[in-house]
Amino acid sequence: MPKKNPVSAIDRALASVLKGAYKVKGLTQDDLVRETGITATTMQRLMAGNTGWDIEQLFAVADAIGWKDAADYMREAEELAASAKPMSADSANVTRNGTRKGDDWQGEEHALEEWDAAAKPSNTVIEISPDDVTP
């Protein structure tokens, strides 16, 4: 059986950020499936925040969207996750071992540095001349 990626708040935030980005670009999940080679079922689970992202999936989707690089999407997701309201300690949100559901941040506090270190270098330079800008 394939290893299931655990889902964290950052995974859910990343799904939200990437979903917004592909929609703004006028893309669909089907477009991403064609461009990335990720199966439709996996793409649906990723974009619903129901499975964890691995780095290859993030880079493939970021490249398919073509707007920002993977590290930029990760930074945005971390900001979103950090600003999210913590879950209550209500009994419906607590697991048998006493931890809150969604509290799976073990080791993820340094995720940004890890993603930045793995990010592809970008050699793209955009030059805009004042003559190119219209009032």
Side-chain angles (χ1 to χ4, degrees):
M1 178 185 280
K3 180 184 162 194
K4 183 179 177 184
N5 293 338
V7 181
S8 69
I10 210 102
D11 290 312
R12 290 184 291 275
L14 190 55
S16 178
V17 167
L18 290 168
K19 188 185 297 185
Y22 81 72
K23 287 182 177 185
V24 165
K25 291 284 288 192
L27 300 172
T28 65
Q29 281 189 21
D30 289 338
D31 295 329
L32 297 179
V33 166
R34 278 192 298 281
E35 289 292 319
T36 64
I38 297 171
T39 67
T41 301
T42 299
M43 186 66 72
Q44 289 167 351
R45 288 181 181 149
L46 287 167
M47 292 301 175
N50 294 333
T51 191
W53 290 82
D54 65 36
I55 196 158
E56 292 86 11
Q57 292 165 330
L58 173 58
F59 278 116
V61 171
D63 288 345
I65 294 170
W67 192 12
K68 300 177 183 178
D69 65 26
D72 289 333
Y73 287 121
M74 192 64 204
R75 274 188 215 85
E76 203 173 322
E78 284 189 330
E79 289 172 12
L80 181 62
S83 69
K85 180 179 171 190
M87 295 178 75
S88 72
D90 179 296
S91 62
N93 290 329
V94 179
T95 63
R96 276 188 251 161
N97 67 4
T99 60
R100 291 181 301 153
K101 294 178 183 175
D103 250 358
D104 44 11
W105 280 86
Q106 298 146 354
E108 289 189 31
E109 59 274 4
H110 301 292
L112 178 59
E113 290 84 10
E114 292 174 24
W115 285 98
D116 279 341
K120 298 177 187 175
S122 176
N123 297 329
T124 306
V125 176
I126 300 173
E127 294 182 23
I128 301 175
S129 164
D131 299 331
D132 295 337
V133 180
T134 57

